[in-house]
Amino acid sequence: QRYFSTIYVNKNLLSTAVHKDAYQVILDGVKGGAKEKRLAAQFIPKFFKHFPELADSAINAQLDLCEDEDVSIRRQAIKELPQFATGDNLPRVADILTQLLQSDDSAEFNLVNNALLSIFKMDAKGTLGGLFSQILQGEDIVRERAIKFLSTKLKTLPEEVMTKEVEEFILTESKKVLEDVTGEEFVLFMKILSGLKSLQTVSGRQQLVELVAEQADLEQTFNPSDTDCVDRLLQCTRQAVPLFSKNVHSTKFVTYFCEHVLPNLSSLTTLVEGLDIQLEVLKLLAEMSSFCGDMEKLESNLKKLFDKLLEYMPLPPEEAENGENAGNEEPKLQFSYVECLLYSFHQLGRKLPDFLTAKLNAEKLKDFKIRLQYFARGLQVYIRQLRLALQGKTGEALKTEENKIKVVALKITNNINVLIKDLFHIPPSYKSTVTLSWKPVQKADASQKRASEDTTSSSPPKKPSAGPKRDARQIYNPPSGKYSSNLGSFSYGKLGNWMSRPGNGNSPSLCACRHLPLASSLL
């Protein structure tokens, strides 16, 4: 009680004059009981600015209170920490607050967040210095929470705080951290960096692409059986895809996929449960192919892509003299794979339009057209059946799991149909544009900023027709999400079943498993 009274007496002395000894008594209050500590937590920061020679002692005393067993004392001490953030002391205070992010007490954790935000507005670079110091050298839990703090809070700060100089500092420090990060940390840092205003320009996005390419280590030999190697490549590519545009090219990534990944597609391994790794790779390649620039080995890489496409476009089964199947196993038409490969081939083929006519010999071209014809005829039957199944359905009826899959299936088959039409022109054409089945339809104003594709209609016609109608309207754009593993009652009898493979959570992989009767016309 006497010591408690002494602190109040010395507090009054400090209020009227500058007394170093009185301030020391208050500092010593951290060694007292709960009441003395609470008073010390208030008075130490209040008079801190008057005693620069006792700055270290004062900060250490307040830090002791931040680690007190009494949660109310800790909270009071943390709340007052920003008052110490002056001059050269600010980075140290930021460092202390960053360490305190490891608190599991929600109220205490929120106080730390608020304190960090308040000193951010005093000196952003100084605060970032403390945060990055702990990210680079601190405990794992502190590092994790500091990164999450940056990924969630930076975007809330006003422009006068997030100046160009501050953003450059963030980029510089982030590059140091990215030299050794986990996959999750890499994703968070890409979120941080892509949110910086200075990196949302063409040159800024190009910097980010180069950063991702470096992280992906595209110079290394690709090992399809090394799950870390595969997962790192996919994780990096996913981060790069949103950055590509007509001005920021994907050439380096597309080249790597064609030269190293496609030839090893069937050997890819991953630890991600339920992921169709082959389809994931093909989807990424398709998305990137739209923004590929000039490629050094274009003909060679187009040949690799063409060869892989042939693997998923079977020849018609041989028939016996009586017209029945000669006994060979019926080909599987894997529409999701073909959509990706055909789209990628169509995009890169624009850069070498005489590939099919001048670069392939007559026999290979004939073989390819037979495969296209067989696939297209089977495709027509499925498109008609899908349109009939969806005919008259609107609104809520289209939101059932079964109909969501049918809508996606119609988008996939429509896309393939449009692309095959182009390749059957003489000479082959590469003019048609489609929107990949798992991508949202681009709005007109957005397409002016970035290269985008038109879409084929997924709306069922009032009367079934032999081919799909190509228009930009779409009555239902299914949300992304995990679809059911099969179509249940959605069966076509002799035409086989639509089956889904585990994908990346956006759409099912579709394959037809029985021989399809030939349509009366190709398209």
Side-chain angles (χ1 to χ4, degrees), residues 316-328 515-516 518:
E318 294 181 7
E319 295 185 354
E321 292 183 1
N322 60 2
E324 296 293 329
N325 190 336
N328 297 331
H515 178 40
L516 303 168
L518 298 181

Side-chain angles (χ1 to χ4, degrees), residues 284-331:
L284 290 171
L285 176 59
E287 290 192 54
M288 294 189 294
S289 65
S290 303
F291 306 113
C292 184
D294 295 334
M295 185 182 288
E296 286 185 13
K297 301 178 181 178
L298 177 59
E299 184 179 340
S300 171
N301 289 327
L302 199 54
K303 177 67 165 54
K304 289 183 175 68
L305 187 54
F306 178 76
D307 290 342
K308 185 58 63 174
L309 174 62
L310 290 185
E311 291 182 23
Y312 292 93
M313 300 200 74
L315 287 165
E318 294 181 7
E319 295 185 354
E321 292 183 1
N322 60 2
E324 296 293 329
N325 190 336
N328 297 331
E329 184 180 348
E330 306 292 353

Side-chain angles (χ1 to χ4, degrees), residues 161-172:
V161 174
M162 296 295 291
T163 63
K164 183 178 180 181
E165 184 183 5
V166 169
E167 292 193 345
E168 287 175 353
F169 182 79
I170 293 172
L171 177 60
T172 299

Side-chain angles (χ1 to χ4, degrees), residues 132 147 174 177-178 185-193:
F132 276 103
I147 294 173
S174 295
V177 180
L178 288 173
E185 290 172 345
F186 174 67
V187 171
L188 288 174
F189 267 101
M190 288 306 300
K191 178 182 177 183
I192 293 167
L193 296 175

Side-chain angles (χ1 to χ4, degrees), residues 405 483-487 498-503 507-511:
I405 297 176
Y483 294 141
S484 59
S485 60
N486 57 62
L487 286 173
W498 289 97
M499 299 173 61
S500 73
R501 292 170 174 263
S507 63
S509 171
L510 306 170
C511 79

